[in-house]
Amino acid sequence: MTASATPLDLTDPAVVADPYPAFATARAVAPVQWHEGLGLWLAFTHAESNAVLRDRRLGRIWRDKEPAERFGSFNLIHRNAILEMEPPDHTRLRRLISTAFARGHVERLRPWVEELAGTLVDRLVERSAGSEPVDVLSGMAEELPVAVIAELLGVPDADRPLLRPWSNAIVKMYEYGRTSEIEDDAERAAAEFVAYLRGLAADRRSKPGEDLLSHLVGVRDSDGDRLTEDELVTTCILLLNAGHEATVNVSGNGLLALLEHPDQLQRLRDDPALLPTAIEELMRFDSPLQLFERTATEDVEIGGTTVEAGQKIAALLGAANHDPAVFEAPETLDVGRTDNPHISFGAGIHFCIGAPLARVELQASFGALLARTSRLELGRPARRRPEFVIRGLAELPVVLTA
């Protein structure tokens, strides 16, 4: 074990508010360091974080939360999740999901997503009227991706308000220092979500449509294999939880970054063709997911440090995305940055399967904000969520003028 043990406190409000100076300090000490409080290794550099995500000797190995009888539904939706699997199970499940996704679902939705984004921005502009601060998170950033996933899966309009509260409760289990109340809420939400999706899947079996859920119900590979019901339910939950949480937080973190860098906001207004490049830069500049764990299946050397079999090591995605060895002036927001190998979507076999959908949503929402407003300003200070792993805002009050 290396002598350099990081003092990084993930519960420190200053670190939660802005972890990047602490990452830079730690990165200068060693690329990989032991964190005694978390009981795992942390990778602070781009090269080492990338290695953590790609090395096949480092796996996602799910272990049920204990006691098992308390976390039955929470364990079910992780035990059967592609994110928590390694080959050959991962290979089989990803192939089946990719086959369903390959039916043009993302591009089919693009015009609908762009129209919805425009409608949401128009509502924000009307409410703000150039003087009143309105929360862009609740008014658009949260609403758009949930609506898109619901549309993609074919969730009836009346049921869509159920989805985000379930997702919010479940993802709080990924943070450190959880309370019993948070754990109970997560299990309750998982149980309700599973029961709902079982019913929806049964409906699609008898009355299939053109939505992704219908295709997931019916998909088979060349060997005739298909998703089990638990895998089907878990995949739908993962699409919502992973898909919308990341998009919400890129939207919030990214818009705040642009508001704090008005020269870059104006640059985008002057050259809308920069938007796809800008989206990648916003994901790099303030990453929506900060930490991703892997477990060593055998002794593995990462950054000159031996991670012993059974030990965990986490890629610090935000630290990797600010590594000056890879990114020129990493603390500078540059919406025209073209050399941008950020790892906000992960890397290797667990690269985000929903990345194309997330890009469609983000381009639609930022595009609508730029096209349908002449002025965007922070109305009062943004309020950040108190969690470290999933990095996002609780409120983003903005004044908008048409």
Side-chain angles (χ1 to χ4, degrees):
M1 193 171 291
T2 182
S4 55
T6 176
L8 187 66
D9 180 2
L10 305 189
T11 63
D12 182 345
V15 172
V16 171
D18 183 5
Y20 302 105
F23 290 160
T25 300
R27 194 188 303 112
V29 175
V32 176
Q33 299 174 46
W34 179 256
H35 194 292
E36 188 63 41
L38 302 179
L40 49 68
W41 296 96
L42 296 176
F44 288 90
T45 62
H46 189 277
E48 277 63 47
S49 291
N50 208 19
V52 168
L53 298 175
R54 293 180 183 275
D55 196 306
R56 301 302 313 118
R57 297 168 296 174
L58 296 170
R60 292 288 290 183
I61 300 172
W62 175 256
R63 292 184 176 87
D64 282 355
K65 299 292 184 199
E66 299 289 346
E69 61 272 14
R70 183 184 173 204
F71 296 110
S73 295
F74 182 83
N75 287 334
L76 180 146
I77 65 172
H78 290 80
R79 194 185 308 124
N80 295 281
I82 188 173
L83 189 62
E84 307 294 350
M85 290 181 177
E86 292 298 305
D89 294 333
H90 175 276
T91 308
R92 167 189 160 273
L93 191 54
R94 188 166 185 123
R95 184 173 63 241
L96 287 165
I97 297 169
S98 297
T99 298
F101 254 111
R103 301 194 186 192
H105 286 288
V106 173
E107 284 308 311
R108 169 178 67 85
L109 284 181
R110 186 185 289 270
W112 183 88
V113 175
E114 290 173 347
E115 182 180 356
L116 175 59
T119 299
L120 293 173
V121 170
D122 288 346
R123 288 178 189 167
L124 289 172
V125 169
E126 184 179 356
R127 286 168 49 207
S128 177
S131 60
E132 184 68 26
V134 293
D135 182 21
V136 174
L137 282 182
S138 59
M140 186 179 75
E142 294 176 352
E143 194 166 336
L144 180 80
V146 174
V148 172
I149 296 289
E151 184 74 12
L152 184 72
L153 293 173
V155 176
D157 288 348
D159 297 339
R160 294 182 181 186
L162 298 169
L163 302 182
R164 181 154 172 81
W166 283 335
S167 177
N168 277 345
I170 292 168
V171 301
K172 282 186 168 60
M173 279 288 283
Y174 308 149
E175 299 293 338
Y176 298 102
R178 301 180 305 268
T179 64
S180 293
E181 183 180 9
I182 285 172
E183 294 178 341
D184 289 343
D185 287 346
E187 171 60 22
R188 187 180 308 111
E192 291 174 2
F193 209 165
V194 167
Y196 175 78
L197 285 169
R198 288 199 198 284
L200 198 59
D203 179 70
R204 291 300 188 279
R205 284 194 183 91
S206 61
K207 293 175 291 189
E210 287 304 308
D211 54 86
L212 179 61
L213 179 55
S214 294
H215 289 159
L216 287 170
V217 165
V219 71
R220 284 179 171 79
D221 64 14
S222 57
D223 298 324
D225 195 11
R226 63 188 300 171
L227 296 171
T228 68
E229 179 159 310
D230 286 348
E231 289 168 346
L232 173 72
V233 165
T234 291
T235 296
C236 293
I237 292 176
L238 180 62
L239 284 172
L240 178 73
N241 289 359
H244 99 272
E245 280 291 336
T247 309
V248 169
N249 294 324
V250 174
S251 298
N253 296 346
L255 181 55
L256 178 60
L258 288 173
L259 294 172
E260 291 177 339
H261 297 80
D263 61 318
Q264 296 300 301
L265 178 59
Q266 188 58 48
R267 191 176 169 195
L268 264 181
R269 287 196 185 281
D270 294 340
D271 187 1
L274 283 175
L275 186 58
T277 304
I279 297 300
E280 303 304 313
E281 173 67 349
L282 296 176
M283 284 191 284
R284 180 202 72 83
F285 188 73
D286 201 3
S287 309
L289 178 67
Q290 290 284 324
L291 180 150
F292 193 67
E293 288 183 6
R294 307 299 288 266
T295 302
T297 57
E298 58 183 88
D299 289 1
V300 183
E301 185 176 308
I302 301 288
T305 295
T306 299
V307 181
E308 298 175 359
Q311 286 187 330
K312 289 186 174 184
I313 181 168
L316 286 172
L317 307 184
N321 287 340
H322 281 246
D323 188 343
V326 175
F327 302 96
E328 184 179 352
E331 306 309 321
T332 298
L333 181 69
D334 177 5
V335 296
R337 188 187 296 270
T338 53
D339 185 12
N340 190 356
H342 71 79
I343 55 173
S344 296
F345 281 130
I349 68 167
H350 287 291
F351 182 83
C352 177
I353 199 168
L357 182 63
R359 287 184 167 116
V360 166
E361 294 171 5
L362 291 165
Q363 289 173 22
S365 58
F366 279 94
L369 280 167
L370 292 167
R372 294 171 181 258
T373 66
S374 60
R375 183 173 66 103
L376 291 168
E377 291 179 6
L378 201 57
R380 57 179 180 271
R383 186 162 51 87
R384 188 161 289 285
R385 284 165 48 173
E387 298 90 13
F388 170 82
V389 176
I390 297 176
R391 179 169 171 78
L393 300 173
E395 185 185 32
L396 181 56
V398 176
V399 175
L400 306 92
T401 303

